[in-house]
Amino acid sequence: ERRSLNANAYCWKLCTEIANVLTLQGSAVAKEDVYFKALKDYGQSDIVTILSKVNAADYFKYYEVMGEGKIKDKDYTAYRVYKGSSEYDTREMSILLDGIIQDAEELGIHTITPNEAEAMKARWGVEV
């Protein structure tokens, strides 16, 4: 089952608040950077290898280079590609949100309580 729009809205709300706190602390971080870090830390990913002459940005929104190599005289690049939260099911979104909530709490940002988080997950049909 797909994640709810409320879950995605809360995800972006926390990413924005985390970015604001980090910026106030002197790091000047955008909410999109916080979101990408959360995808890398808690999200879903795969590794793909494509010809190096192919522009990965034409095919993937969230990715990072893992390495390069040659196969039969052709240059290839390996990428870790991350699935955006708009493609997550409820279980995947639950894992992502738990991580973002933890990151926010470590910065002193007020988040929903553990009981509220469990209730939200229950509404999504996620086993808690």
Side-chain angles (χ1 to χ4, degrees):
E1 187 176 326
R2 300 276 300 227
R3 56 86 179 124
S4 74
L5 293 178
N6 288 350
N8 204 47
Y10 191 57
C11 167
W12 280 103
K13 177 182 186 294
L14 288 179
C15 286
T16 300
E17 290 185 27
I18 290 169
N20 290 343
V21 167
L22 292 174
T23 297
L24 288 173
Q25 292 176 350
S27 295
V29 176
K31 67 183 176 186
E32 293 81 6
D33 296 330
V34 172
Y35 175 75
F36 185 46
K37 182 182 181 313
L39 290 181
K40 291 194 287 188
D41 290 347
Y42 313 111
Q44 306 300 310
S45 68
D46 282 305
I47 296 177
V48 298
T49 302
I50 59 176
L51 287 167
S52 295
K53 65 182 179 181
V54 174
N55 183 0
D58 290 343
Y59 296 92
F60 310 113
K61 186 170 184 178
Y62 305 106
Y63 65 92
E64 60 187 344
V65 174
M66 298 299 295
E68 297 175 345
K70 265 191 187 310
I71 302 173
K72 295 186 179 181
D73 295 326
K74 292 187 180 183
D75 294 322
Y76 287 86
T77 303
Y79 297 92
R80 178 168 299 278
V81 295
Y82 299 89
K83 185 163 72 166
S85 62
S86 63
E87 301 300 319
Y88 280 15
D89 63 24
T90 54
R91 181 180 168 281
E92 293 166 337
M93 191 67 187
S94 176
I95 293 167
L96 180 66
L97 257 182
D98 283 347
I100 294 171
I101 288 170
Q102 179 182 339
D103 291 348
E105 288 174 345
E106 288 174 3
L107 290 170
I109 296 168
H110 176 72
T111 65
I112 58 177
T113 68
N115 287 342
E116 291 169 324
E118 297 306 316
M120 187 186 320
K121 291 177 196 175
R123 285 192 300 273
W124 302 338
V126 175
E127 288 186 29
V128 291

